[in-house]
Amino acid sequence: MAFPRPKPTTMETLAMERANPPFNIRKMSIAMHGSEKALILKEKFMAEIARHPAFKLSDIHDLSKDELRERTMEKFASMVYFVTNESLETFQLRMQLIGIADPSFWTRFGVAYGLFLGALRSGATPNQLSYWTDRGVLGLNGVIGCFAMTELAHGSNVAGLETTATFDRGSDEFVIHTPHLGATKWWIGGAASTATHAAVFAQMIADGKRHGVKTFVTQLRDTKTFTLMPGVTIGDIGKKMGRDGIDNGYIQFTYVRVPRAHMLMKHTQVSRDGVVTEPPLAQLTYGALLGGRTSMVTDSSNSAKKALTVAVRYAAVRRQFATGKNELETQLLDYPIHQRRLMPLVAQAIAIGFTGLRLQVMYEDMTQALDTMEPSDPNLNDILDKLKETHATSAGLKAFCTWACLDTIDKCRQSCGGHGYSAYSNFPLMYADFAVQCTWEGDNTILSLQAGRSLVGAWGAAVKGKKLAPGVAYLNDSSLISAKSDSSLSLSDIQRAWNCVASNVIKKAAEEYVRLLKSGKSKDEAMEKCSQSRFIAAKIHTIGYIFRLFKEAVEEMKDDEESRTLKTVAKLYGLWQIEEQQGYFLKYGYLDAQQMDKVQESVDALCQEVRGVAIPLIDSFALSDHIINSPLGRWDGSVYESYFAQVQAANPLPKEHPYFTRLIKPLLERQDEDMEDPGSAMGLDDELKEIEEERKGE
């Protein structure tokens, strides 16, 4: 008698997936992290926070808003130690990890260091920065900062903010004031409960003249008693979609006076006599925005990798239905349609990760150039052109990378079936916490249009023969407009495809803009009228840009198994995105219908090929079980055991039912009352019968 083959456990299944990978996982992980040093530091950080009581994550799904805020504050002391004792480079890597482990804390701490301190660094003079550093802004011993930019009625339109800062020459002070409800500072992280000072963005007025939005350091609370300062009104804006560990609040100022020296004067200066000196190069203020956008590209990759670690491991161990003559049920990851659901998203997360690494280098080079640049610099125009291009590119990347990540998280959730809907899968919290990335630091649609505006300008410059910055240099090649595929679908063919289609959609937007100008529209009206074309231009350019940076990164690597695997991943990303945007490739003739069918076949084959190394590839993301915080994605594959244990531990049954006596028992034991029939009580039927008989008698 033949006995059926025993079904392998989920742990055995995952171990088999890891057997004999075609590449060295450690080397692959080093490549994805940029250096061995960065990977070693990440592993060190993961070990540290896994043992830190304040970074306990397993119970986070069952904490209240107030408990989450308190837990967030518990982490501050340990992070202050690191920020004051580590190099900036090391601390930034630490915060990258914190960002995917606990986004609420990353944001709250980032408000104090990334935004408030960042505002000081980018806007203060050297003496002003020293002044605030001496008063404890770095160690949070004297100043806990927040970033008061957005208002109830204004967010993305910073130039339209309505809080005022009026210079009083007599007292040498600025008077900060909220003129009406719409000017109330809103969504201010840290304002509700924890901040002592704010970097307040307000319209500066001197001698009755407005000089635009400037930044003013304004004290909110007494640092000894924590009572509000005179004229400052603060409230809590309450529960949000996610990131409940952040105490977002609102602030209203009623004629609050701050010393003139509290205005950050690196770019614009106001003298004791009220003389306002504007910066010779207003574009230099762009630089302050690039750091945040760069970090969000990296965070998009890391957060997507976190979700994919869970979804891919779960797909490897979950078996559903026996196919063909197989005795065993089939692993989800072996179904072609499931490979289609997840493998392109893996490729996209890796592509964005390499883009983030290269963008960080570009940002550091740009920052160094800006810090040392003088108005008389002979390379001034080249640096400014590159700054504008980097500013626009970072806007597009921030938008489309954060959108891609949010979409990835939800697709990963759906791919895990019903279990993905459980809070303990961690997908609901991941989604709720990440969603804000699509709207803060610039609404994604607005940023896309900014990127599109820049591309329209770049096309105009290319037509005039100007040599463009590297990110848009392909627009200088006029032959791309009518380019055709060589049908190889190689990396170079894919790159040419994106350059061709991007050139065409940018050309369309630019020509539409010019046509509108000629019809009598103003520049602003013409730009608004061609918004959809600008948006499409930004989207196609950005996807092609991500592909190009990924392709360049893997082609620069030593030719080994790791680089060959990454070239396969790059090819999958480039072709999958062509398939996703196929209308444009057909419209502009780079590919015909038959070639597009070949693209689909290639994506199918590449998904199957990447599936073969999916678990080793996911392992190279180097995310610990503590960081992913999901039993469905356990490294050892103990999915069901871990899930059951967590649910049981977090939801013990009470000894006494909380509402049986009050609600359930009366429902079960209720007695149906005999309802009196009004008709019978009235004798209505007999009465109607008598009336009818009387009628007949007549």
Side-chain angles (χ1 to χ4, degrees):
M1 179 179 176
F3 291 95
R5 184 158 54 96
K7 177 181 176 180
T9 66
T10 54
M11 298 171 73
E12 290 169 339
T13 300
L14 208 53
M16 287 187 284
E17 289 282 343
R18 291 194 175 98
N20 304 313
F23 56 82
N24 183 298
I25 294 175
R26 184 72 181 177
K27 286 174 66 178
M28 180 69 83
S29 196
I30 290 169
M32 288 194 192
H33 289 79
S35 68
E36 187 171 18
K37 177 186 175 184
L39 177 59
I40 291 171
L41 281 171
K42 178 180 177 180
E43 291 168 335
K44 172 179 177 286
F45 302 152
M46 287 194 293
E48 287 171 349
I49 70 168
R51 296 176 180 178
H52 196 299
F55 280 95
K56 181 182 179 183
L57 298 176
S58 59
D59 65 345
I60 205 163
H61 308 294
D62 297 292
L63 298 180
S64 69
K65 172 170 67 71
D66 291 337
E67 288 170 332
L68 282 168
R69 288 184 178 184
E70 191 170 344
R71 179 79 63 86
T72 295
M73 206 62 208
E74 285 175 7
K75 303 176 178 73
F76 262 75
S78 63
M79 286 299 109
V80 168
Y81 169 80
F82 292 121
V83 81
T84 52
N85 286 276
E86 290 180 340
S87 69
L88 183 60
E89 179 190 11
T90 299
F91 187 73
Q92 284 174 336
L93 289 172
R94 181 183 292 278
M95 289 307 290
Q96 274 185 25
L97 178 71
I98 298 293
I100 52 172
D102 186 349
S104 282
F105 174 68
W106 175 79
T107 304
R108 180 61 196 92
F109 201 72
V111 164
Y113 282 99
L115 294 181
F116 181 77
L117 183 56
L120 291 176
R121 280 181 168 150
S122 64
T125 66
N127 285 353
Q128 285 181 316
L129 184 58
S130 296
Y131 173 89
W132 288 110
T133 302
D134 291 345
R135 274 148 187 78
V137 69
L138 197 59
L140 303 185
N141 49 338
V143 175
I144 300 175
C146 67
F147 192 72
M149 177 185 281
T150 54
E151 296 176 356
L152 187 58
H154 279 92
S156 297
N157 181 15
V158 176
L161 296 177
E162 296 176 287
T163 300
T164 58
T166 306
F167 184 58
D168 181 349
R169 193 179 305 173
S171 62
D172 197 28
E173 294 172 319
F174 280 99
V175 181
I176 313 293
H177 184 59
T178 305
H180 56 79
L181 183 66
T184 303
K185 293 296 179 182
W186 201 265
W187 281 113
I188 311 305
S193 307
T194 54
T196 62
H197 292 70
V200 178
F201 287 69
Q203 296 283 353
M204 195 260 281
I205 303 170
D207 289 332
K209 181 182 176 183
R210 288 181 174 250
H211 294 270
V213 174
K214 313 300 177 191
T215 312
F216 303 82
V217 179
T218 307
Q219 188 165 352
L220 304 177
R221 292 178 169 94
D222 185 291
T223 56
K224 303 296 183 186
T225 65
F226 228 54
T227 55
L228 295 176
M229 299 299 288
V232 176
T233 303
I234 285 179
D236 193 322
I237 68 167
K239 192 167 177 61
K240 307 176 290 291
M241 180 176 175
R243 303 199 187 214
D244 273 332
I246 313 165
D247 55 315
N248 292 91
Y250 64 81
I251 313 172
Q252 293 175 333
F253 302 98
T254 307
Y255 302 108
V256 174
R257 291 180 170 270
V258 301
R260 175 175 56 89
H262 280 202
M263 173 184 160
L264 302 184
M265 296 196 195
K266 180 178 183 179
H267 302 295
T268 300
Q269 296 81 42
V270 180
S271 72
R272 176 70 182 81
D273 298 325
V275 176
V276 179
T277 306
E278 296 288 2
L281 296 169
Q283 301 98 318
L284 296 182
T285 57
Y286 289 169
L289 298 170
L290 300 181
R293 292 175 183 175
T294 300
S295 71
M296 280 190 277
V297 171
T298 300
D299 192 50
S300 294
S301 172
N302 290 337
S303 297
K305 287 174 178 176
K306 179 179 176 179
L308 286 160
T309 298
V310 178
V312 174
R313 284 179 181 165
Y314 180 75
V317 302
R318 177 77 171 190
R319 294 177 182 272
Q320 290 282 81
F321 310 109
T323 54
K325 297 181 180 180
N326 294 326
E327 294 177 10
L328 292 175
E329 288 184 282
T330 303
Q331 294 165 259
L332 292 186
L333 207 49
D334 282 336
Y335 286 105
I337 197 64
H338 212 80
Q339 294 167 11
R340 272 289 194 151
R341 294 177 87 174
L342 294 178
M343 296 305 100
L345 300 180
V346 171
Q348 179 175 252
I350 294 171
I352 293 173
F354 277 98
T355 300
L357 288 173
R358 294 173 87 80
L359 197 64
Q360 184 63 39
V361 173
M362 288 166 58
Y363 168 67
E364 289 167 359
D365 290 346
M366 181 64 66
T367 301
Q368 187 174 0
L370 292 175
D371 286 345
T372 58
M373 190 177 70
E374 298 291 338
S376 58
D377 194 314
N379 298 316
L380 176 64
N381 289 331
D382 287 342
I383 293 172
L384 289 181
D385 283 345
K386 192 171 182 181
L387 174 59
K388 289 177 185 177
E389 190 258 324
T390 307
H391 177 256
T393 299
S394 68
L397 285 169
K398 184 271 180 186
F400 291 102
C401 290
T402 54
W403 268 328
C405 178
L406 191 64
D407 180 62
T408 295
I409 294 169
D410 194 52
K411 284 179 175 172
C412 286
R413 176 192 68 80
Q414 293 184 46
S415 77
C416 291
H419 294 331
Y421 196 65
S422 167
Y424 304 108
S425 74
N426 209 15
F427 288 123
L429 186 60
M430 273 191 257
Y431 189 90
D433 279 346
F434 194 84
V436 70
Q437 298 268 37
C438 298
T439 46
W440 68 9
E441 293 221 20
D443 171 82
N444 279 0
T445 300
I446 302 300
L447 290 181
S448 302
L449 293 179
Q450 285 181 12
R453 177 189 288 264
S454 176
L455 291 169
V456 167
W459 177 264
V463 168
K464 293 174 183 175
K466 181 178 179 181
K467 184 179 178 182
L468 300 180
V472 287
Y474 64 90
L475 295 178
N476 286 128
D477 183 357
S478 59
S479 69
L480 285 170
I481 290 294
S482 55
K484 306 289 181 187
S485 173
D486 60 14
S487 295
S488 68
L489 301 185
S490 62
L491 288 175
S492 58
D493 186 29
I494 296 168
Q495 181 65 74
R496 191 165 173 77
W498 284 104
N499 289 348
C500 165
V501 174
S503 296
N504 275 284
V505 294
I506 293 168
K507 175 176 181 279
K508 179 182 182 297
E511 289 179 345
E512 189 176 334
Y513 171 68
V514 171
R515 188 168 63 252
L516 287 162
L517 284 179
K518 288 179 178 177
S519 73
K521 302 289 185 188
S522 68
K523 288 184 178 180
D524 287 342
E525 286 174 330
M527 275 293 175
E528 290 308 314
K529 286 286 186 181
C530 66
S531 290
Q532 180 61 13
S533 295
R534 281 194 288 147
F535 182 87
I536 292 167
K539 176 171 67 173
I540 299 299
H541 166 79
T542 301
I543 297 171
Y545 187 87
I546 292 169
F547 175 77
R548 177 167 65 80
L549 262 58
F550 185 21
K551 172 179 172 287
E552 287 176 358
V554 297
E555 287 180 341
E556 289 170 10
M557 293 171 62
K558 177 184 174 185
D559 183 28
D560 52 22
E561 288 296 339
E562 291 74 43
S563 68
R564 286 191 283 275
T565 299
L566 287 173
K567 284 175 183 175
T568 300
V569 173
K571 191 172 181 181
L572 172 57
Y573 174 70
L575 289 176
W576 168 66
Q577 285 285 21
I578 286 175
E579 189 182 42
E580 290 286 293
Q581 309 296 332
Q582 62 183 275
Y584 301 108
F585 291 85
L586 291 169
K587 176 180 179 180
Y588 294 110
Y590 190 84
L591 297 163
D592 59 29
Q594 191 174 3
Q595 289 169 323
M596 191 57 72
D597 286 341
K598 186 179 176 183
V599 168
Q600 180 183 327
E601 292 167 8
S602 296
V603 173
D604 288 341
L606 289 164
C607 282
Q608 187 174 13
E609 188 175 348
V610 174
R611 180 267 172 269
V613 295
I615 294 303
L617 206 53
I618 288 293
D619 287 349
S620 67
F621 294 167
L623 294 169
S624 66
D625 285 345
H626 177 256
I627 295 298
I628 67 169
N629 191 28
S630 173
L632 303 187
R634 292 272 301 185
W635 187 89
D636 65 4
S638 60
V639 170
Y640 305 124
E641 298 86 349
S642 301
Y643 183 22
F644 186 81
Q646 187 169 357
V647 168
Q648 207 174 29
N651 301 277
L653 290 176
K655 291 181 179 178
E656 186 174 322
H657 198 288
Y659 48 87
F660 171 74
T661 303
R662 186 171 68 88
L663 297 175
I664 299 177
K665 186 176 180 182
L667 184 67
L668 292 171
E669 297 180 354
R670 75 188 186 282
Q671 298 295 318
D672 291 333
E673 297 180 10
D674 292 332
M675 298 296 292
E676 182 181 52
D677 181 1
S680 298
M682 295 176 189
L684 182 62
D685 290 340
D686 291 339
E687 185 180 23
L688 293 176
K689 191 174 181 181
E690 288 176 9
I691 293 171
E692 182 65 21
E693 288 174 352
E694 286 175 3
R695 276 204 195 105
K696 288 177 180 177
E698 292 176 0

